[in-house]
Amino acid sequence: MAIMPAEQISVSIARDYAAVYGFLAEPANFALWAAGLADTLHRDEAGVWRAQGPSGEVTLQFTPENAFGICDHRVLLPDGAEVYVPMRVIANGAGAEVLFTLFRQPGMSDAVFARDIAWVERDLAALKALLEKA
Protein backbone atom coordinates (compact mmCIF):
# COMPACT_ATOMS: atom_id res chain seq x y z
CA MET A 1 0.00 0.00 0.00
CA ALA A 2 1.31 3.44 -0.89
CA ILE A 3 1.75 6.14 1.71
CA MET A 4 -1.37 8.30 1.78
CA PRO A 5 -1.21 12.09 2.12
CA ALA A 6 -2.47 13.19 5.53
CA GLU A 7 -3.78 16.35 7.14
CA GLN A 8 -3.21 17.00 10.85
CA ILE A 9 -6.14 18.89 12.37
CA SER A 10 -6.19 19.96 16.01
CA VAL A 11 -8.19 21.98 18.47
CA SER A 12 -7.28 23.37 21.88
CA ILE A 13 -9.92 22.84 24.54
CA ALA A 14 -10.02 24.83 27.77
CA ARG A 15 -10.91 21.81 29.86
CA ASP A 16 -8.82 19.41 31.91
CA TYR A 17 -7.08 16.69 29.89
CA ALA A 18 -8.65 13.90 31.96
CA ALA A 19 -12.17 15.26 31.35
CA VAL A 20 -11.59 15.59 27.59
CA TYR A 21 -10.07 12.14 27.30
CA GLY A 22 -12.77 10.59 29.49
CA PHE A 23 -15.45 12.08 27.24
CA LEU A 24 -13.77 10.89 24.03
CA ALA A 25 -13.01 7.43 25.42
CA GLU A 26 -16.77 6.72 25.52
CA PRO A 27 -17.85 5.82 21.95
CA ALA A 28 -21.48 6.87 22.53
CA ASN A 29 -20.30 10.47 23.00
CA PHE A 30 -19.13 10.70 19.37
CA ALA A 31 -22.78 11.14 18.38
CA LEU A 32 -22.84 14.40 20.39
CA TRP A 33 -20.21 16.18 18.27
CA ALA A 34 -19.32 14.17 15.14
CA ALA A 35 -21.91 15.23 12.55
CA GLY A 36 -21.48 12.10 10.44
CA LEU A 37 -22.51 9.94 13.39
CA ALA A 38 -24.94 12.25 15.16
CA ASP A 39 -28.25 10.71 14.15
CA THR A 40 -27.39 7.07 13.62
CA LEU A 41 -24.58 5.88 15.92
CA HIS A 42 -25.77 2.97 18.02
CA ARG A 43 -24.53 -0.19 19.64
CA ASP A 44 -26.36 -3.30 18.46
CA GLU A 45 -27.37 -6.33 20.53
CA ALA A 46 -23.97 -7.94 19.91
CA GLY A 47 -22.14 -4.86 21.21
CA VAL A 48 -21.01 -3.71 17.75
CA TRP A 49 -21.03 0.04 17.02
CA ARG A 50 -22.88 0.91 13.79
CA ALA A 51 -23.94 4.04 11.92
CA GLN A 52 -25.38 5.03 8.57
CA GLY A 53 -22.82 6.40 6.12
CA PRO A 54 -23.29 7.88 2.64
CA SER A 55 -22.88 4.43 1.07
CA GLY A 56 -24.84 2.44 3.66
CA GLU A 57 -24.31 1.05 7.12
CA VAL A 58 -20.78 1.23 8.53
CA THR A 59 -19.26 -0.58 11.48
CA LEU A 60 -16.99 1.28 13.88
CA GLN A 61 -14.26 -0.14 16.08
CA PHE A 62 -13.02 2.12 18.89
CA THR A 63 -9.74 1.84 20.76
CA PRO A 64 -10.33 0.66 24.33
CA GLU A 65 -9.78 3.18 27.12
CA ASN A 66 -6.05 3.52 27.79
CA ALA A 67 -3.48 5.57 29.70
CA PHE A 68 -2.06 7.27 26.62
CA GLY A 69 -4.91 9.48 25.34
CA ILE A 70 -5.40 7.36 22.23
CA CYS A 71 -8.90 7.58 20.75
CA ASP A 72 -8.29 5.89 17.40
CA HIS A 73 -11.12 4.25 15.57
CA ARG A 74 -11.68 2.30 12.38
CA VAL A 75 -14.63 2.66 10.06
CA LEU A 76 -15.51 -0.46 8.10
CA LEU A 77 -17.38 0.52 4.94
CA PRO A 78 -20.12 -1.54 3.24
CA ASP A 79 -17.74 -2.43 0.38
CA GLY A 80 -15.26 -3.96 2.85
CA ALA A 81 -12.81 -1.05 2.79
CA GLU A 82 -11.46 0.13 6.14
CA VAL A 83 -10.70 3.74 7.08
CA TYR A 84 -8.28 4.22 9.97
CA VAL A 85 -8.83 7.41 11.98
CA PRO A 86 -6.01 8.23 14.44
CA MET A 87 -7.01 10.62 17.20
CA ARG A 88 -5.13 11.68 20.32
CA VAL A 89 -5.78 13.79 23.39
CA ILE A 90 -2.72 15.38 24.97
CA ALA A 91 -2.36 17.71 27.93
CA ASN A 92 -1.87 21.35 26.97
CA GLY A 93 -1.21 23.35 30.12
CA ALA A 94 -4.44 23.43 32.12
CA GLY A 95 -6.35 22.26 29.04
CA ALA A 96 -6.12 19.66 26.31
CA GLU A 97 -5.26 19.37 22.65
CA VAL A 98 -7.24 17.00 20.43
CA LEU A 99 -5.23 15.85 17.41
CA PHE A 100 -7.00 14.28 14.46
CA THR A 101 -5.22 12.76 11.45
CA LEU A 102 -7.23 12.63 8.23
CA PHE A 103 -5.78 10.37 5.55
CA ARG A 104 -6.59 11.12 1.94
CA GLN A 105 -8.14 7.91 0.66
CA PRO A 106 -7.05 6.39 -2.67
CA GLY A 107 -8.82 8.01 -5.61
CA MET A 108 -10.10 10.92 -3.50
CA SER A 109 -10.24 14.20 -5.43
CA ASP A 110 -8.80 17.47 -4.14
CA ALA A 111 -12.34 18.81 -3.69
CA VAL A 112 -13.53 15.82 -1.66
CA PHE A 113 -10.40 15.88 0.54
CA ALA A 114 -10.90 19.63 1.16
CA ARG A 115 -14.56 18.96 2.01
CA ASP A 116 -13.56 16.26 4.50
CA ILE A 117 -10.96 18.56 6.12
CA ALA A 118 -13.62 21.25 6.56
CA TRP A 119 -16.00 18.64 8.00
CA VAL A 120 -13.43 17.53 10.61
CA GLU A 121 -12.72 21.16 11.49
CA ARG A 122 -16.45 21.76 12.09
CA ASP A 123 -16.72 18.59 14.18
CA LEU A 124 -13.73 19.56 16.33
CA ALA A 125 -15.19 23.06 16.79
CA ALA A 126 -18.44 21.42 17.96
CA LEU A 127 -16.46 19.21 20.36
CA LYS A 128 -14.68 22.28 21.76
CA ALA A 129 -17.94 24.19 22.23
CA LEU A 130 -19.60 21.20 23.90
CA LEU A 131 -16.76 20.52 26.33
CA GLU A 132 -16.02 24.13 27.18
CA LYS A 133 -19.71 24.72 27.95
CA ALA A 134 -19.89 21.77 30.35
Side-chain angles (χ1 to χ4, degrees):
M1 173 187 265
I3 294 175
M4 295 182 286
E7 186 74 20
Q8 308 298 319
I9 307 162
S10 67
V11 65
S12 300
I13 299 177
R15 185 100 187 264
D16 177 69
Y17 160 84
V20 173
Y21 177 71
F23 181 84
L24 287 174
E26 173 50 54
N29 289 337
F30 277 66
L32 301 174
W33 62 275
L37 302 175
D39 296 327
T40 64
L41 181 64
H42 66 281
R43 194 171 195 176
D44 69 15
E45 304 80 34
V48 176
W49 289 98
R50 300 184 185 279
Q52 278 303 121
S55 57
E57 186 177 72
V58 299
T59 301
L60 296 104
Q61 299 172 336
F62 294 92
T63 300
E65 193 168 339
N66 59 80
F68 305 105
I70 298 170
C71 297
D72 295 359
H73 51 285
R74 295 181 186 279
V75 181
L76 308 171
L77 303 174
D79 67 1
E82 181 178 297
V83 178
Y84 172 52
V85 185
M87 199 163 88
R88 305 288 187 271
V89 180
I90 59 172
N92 180 354
E97 197 76 17
V98 176
L99 310 165
F100 189 107
T101 301
L102 180 65
F103 290 112
R104 183 175 180 158
Q105 300 302 304
M108 184 179 273
S109 70
D110 290 345
V112 170
F113 192 48
R115 181 204 66 201
D116 284 0
I117 291 167
W119 189 324
V120 171
E121 290 170 341
R122 282 190 305 274
D123 281 353
L124 291 179
L127 175 66
K128 175 181 176 74
L130 179 65
L131 290 177
E132 288 183 351
K133 180 175 88 173

